[in-house]
């Protein structure tokens, strides 16, 4: 997940949209009852740390986002087309959307009533939606987007820069620039059509489909076909030097680098193909069709993020940061959370990937890194809370989630041996590919693959308060 790129390292703690999905048939609504016949979808997905994140009653299969951003005025015009399916009968439903002005909403081309309620955009369609019914929501909006402040005081969402915007949505920020079912439980495919001044480049997720320039503006098109959580979407805008190539494994790479960061970034970005190849050998096949990097110059951000297929960095990354954010393509992006409480499954795994990479590329062994961390005093923030129970949204980017989460994996490796441990990693990434996973599911998988009872190990390293006894 989000990795602090300057103040803290991951080891230490932080045009037209091309249709690709079915569209609901308007005739299906003809038999639907009046709006009062349905229920109101829940205003949250039930997350204990972010209770208003996400919405109940429907699943979004696809987002078509058409954006026009003027970097001088910082004004955004947007249209979001959501293709969804009702999971219960709905008289109305909510979308997470904050800050921007909504100018119109339709459901299957029929004008729908809407109102704002905090971060919720509550939509009432002309007819109630039946359980199982596919429908299409179109939201037109505009305004000056900005970030949200997270419980730990950091910013995420649409963060303006001196030449565009750094767009990184973990955990809440997707709702600052498009209406969404904004919880990792709900994953969708995406099409992006982003128009910016001709002197700027707009970079999103997935495969680059091309650009077209006219009247001083350039429109960029991107497609993310594999399922993606809303917080992993990006539409970063700036002055970028672009590099494109295809790896020998057929992965389409698109790197966009702010010229001010180009010299420092070049040496590290050259390693991307070999890093992906190494991670594919360790974790299993790369889960997406595209890869790359967005290296922005955003000194006020203070972190990098594993935006799906193309991590975004606030400055030139180190090799360890490159390894970390791309490990997330397996752990966090392809295998997603069902609750932010389980974020160690993202951060502990990506941090341990750094340790393994170091160990296998002439650096410190994972055991040495573990020992150095374990030598810290009991009062160190490493032991402030257990990684599988951070306690609140304020702590999800804390040191224990990253470093003690990685220590838990090292203890597992020590207990089951290398062949079994690597089999566990691959099985986790493969069996939950493009889906979700929980801590309990990982524990069961580890016991299945090892044939061992690992309750005590997991209780000690994932759930116990304070510094564990010497292993």
């Amino acid at each position: 997940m989000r990795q602090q790129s300057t103040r803290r390292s991951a080891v230490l703690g932080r045009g037209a949209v091309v249709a690709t999905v079915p569209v609901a048939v308007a005739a299906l609504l003809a038999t639907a009852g009046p709006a009062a016949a349905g229920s109101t979808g829940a205003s949250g997905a039930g997350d204990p740390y972010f209770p208003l994140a996400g919405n109940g009653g429907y699943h979004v299969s696809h987002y078509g986002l058409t954006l026009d951003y003027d970097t001088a005025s910082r004004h955004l015009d947007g249209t979001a087309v959501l293709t969804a399916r009702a999971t219960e009968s709905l008289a109305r439903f909510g979308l997470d959307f904050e800050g921007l002005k909504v100018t119109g909403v339709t459901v299957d081309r029929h004008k729908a009533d809407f109102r704002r309620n905090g971060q919720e955009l509550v939509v009432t369609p002309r007819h109630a939606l039946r359980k199982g019914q596919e429908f299409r929501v179109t939201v037109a909006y505009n305004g000056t987007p900005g970030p949200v402040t997270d419980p730990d005081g950091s910013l995420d969402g649409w963060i303006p820069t001196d030449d565009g915007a750094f767009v990184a949505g973990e955990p809440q920020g997707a709702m600052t620039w498009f209406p969404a079912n904004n919880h990792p439980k709900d994953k969708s495919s995406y099409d992006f059509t982003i128009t910016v001044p001709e002197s700027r480049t707009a970079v999103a997720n997935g495969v680059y489909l091309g650009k077209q320039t006219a009247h001083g503006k350039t429109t960029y098109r991107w497609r993310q076909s594999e399922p993606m959580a809303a917080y992993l979407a990006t539409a970063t805008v700036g002055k970028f030097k672009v590099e494109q190539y295809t790896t020998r494994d057929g992965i389409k790479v698109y790197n966009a680098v702010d010229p001010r960061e180009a010299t420092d970034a070049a040496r590290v970005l050259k390693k991307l193909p070999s890093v992906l190849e190494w991670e594919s050998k360790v974790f299993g096949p790369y889960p997406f069709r595209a890869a790359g990097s967005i290296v922005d110059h955003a000194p006020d951000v203070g972190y990098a993020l594993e935006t799906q297929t193309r991590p975004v960095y606030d400055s030139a990354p180190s090799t360890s940061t490159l390894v970390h954010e791309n490990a997330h393509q397996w752990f966090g992006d392809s295998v997603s959370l069902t609750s932010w409480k389980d974020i160690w499954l993202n951060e502990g795994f990506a941090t341990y990937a750094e340790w393994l990479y170091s160990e296998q590329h002439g650096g410190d062994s994972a055991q040495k890194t573990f020992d150095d961390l374990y030598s810290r005093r009991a009062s160190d923030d490493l032991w402030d809370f257990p990684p599988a129970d951070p306690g609140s949204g304020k702590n999800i980017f804390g040191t224990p989630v990253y470093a003690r989460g990685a220590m838990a994996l090292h203890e597992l490796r020590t207990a089951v041996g290398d062949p079994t441990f690597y089999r566990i990693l691959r099985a986790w990434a493969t069996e939950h590919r493009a889906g979700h996973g929980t801590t309990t599911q990982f524990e069961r998988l580890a016991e299945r693959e090892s044939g061992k009872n690992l309750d005590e190990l997991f209780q000690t390293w994932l759930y116990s308060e304070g510094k564990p006894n010497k292993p």
Side-chain angles (χ1 to χ4, degrees), residues 115-341:
R115 62 182 173 85
R116 309 300 288 267
N117 182 18
Q119 72 179 54
E120 294 293 316
L121 172 63
V122 182
V123 178
T124 303
R126 178 182 296 184
H127 300 284
L129 303 171
R130 301 188 313 275
K131 181 178 180 179
Q133 179 180 334
E134 190 176 65
F135 61 99
R136 189 179 193 181
V137 185
T138 301
V139 181
Y141 55 95
N142 62 59
T144 304
V148 293
T149 301
D150 295 326
D152 68 351
S154 60
L155 301 178
D156 81 285
W158 192 281
I159 305 173
T161 61
D162 62 0
D163 62 355
F166 182 97
V167 183
E170 190 181 33
Q172 305 178 88
M175 65 181 177
T176 67
W177 59 285
F178 69 97
N181 195 353
N182 190 22
H183 191 276
K185 283 183 178 179
D186 203 64
K187 298 173 68 170
S188 319
S189 60
Y190 285 73
D191 276 300
F192 303 86
T193 301
I194 310 170
T195 300
V196 293
E198 186 176 358
S199 60
R200 303 297 194 268
T201 301
V203 191
N205 311 84
V207 175
Y208 173 57
L209 300 180
K211 65 181 181 179
Q212 185 174 4
T213 299
H215 309 297
K217 292 185 176 184
T218 301
T219 299
Y220 293 83
R221 295 191 300 118
W222 299 86
R223 176 170 297 158
Q224 172 57 54
S225 300
E226 299 90 354
M228 178 170 72
Y231 82 88
L232 295 168
T234 190
T236 294
V237 177
K239 294 180 179 179
F240 294 121
K241 296 176 63 177
V242 172
E243 173 190 31
Q244 297 184 69
Y245 60 88
T246 301
T247 71
R248 60 186 181 185
D249 293 328
I251 302 168
K252 295 182 180 299
V253 174
Y254 186 105
N255 292 327
V257 182
D258 188 300
R260 291 168 288 185
E261 303 290 339
T263 299
D264 291 337
R267 176 183 57 83
V268 175
L269 295 189
K270 284 181 180 179
K271 298 180 181 180
L272 179 59
S274 64
V275 166
L276 293 176
E277 184 176 0
W278 175 81
E279 290 180 331
S280 296
K281 289 178 180 177
V282 177
F283 308 137
Y286 182 71
F288 306 117
R289 304 176 194 183
S293 310
I294 307 170
V295 182
D296 207 346
H297 181 77
D300 295 332
V301 172
Y303 60 81
L305 181 68
E306 65 273 15
T307 45
Q308 191 159 306
T309 68
R310 194 161 292 106
V312 58
Y313 306 93
D314 69 330
S315 60
S318 64
T319 298
S320 62
T321 302
L322 188 80
V323 170
H324 181 106
E325 301 303 336
N326 282 284
H328 274 308
Q329 305 307 309
W330 285 262
F331 306 114
D333 293 12
S334 178
V335 184
S336 298
L337 302 173
T338 61
S339 170
W340 286 110
K341 182 178 181 179

Side-chain angles (χ1 to χ4, degrees), residues 406-426:
M407 294 175 82
L409 290 173
H410 188 72
E411 281 293 277
L412 174 62
R413 178 185 175 189
T414 301
V416 303
D418 277 11
T420 300
F421 176 73
Y422 287 112
R423 189 167 68 247
I424 290 169
L425 289 184
R426 291 178 67 93

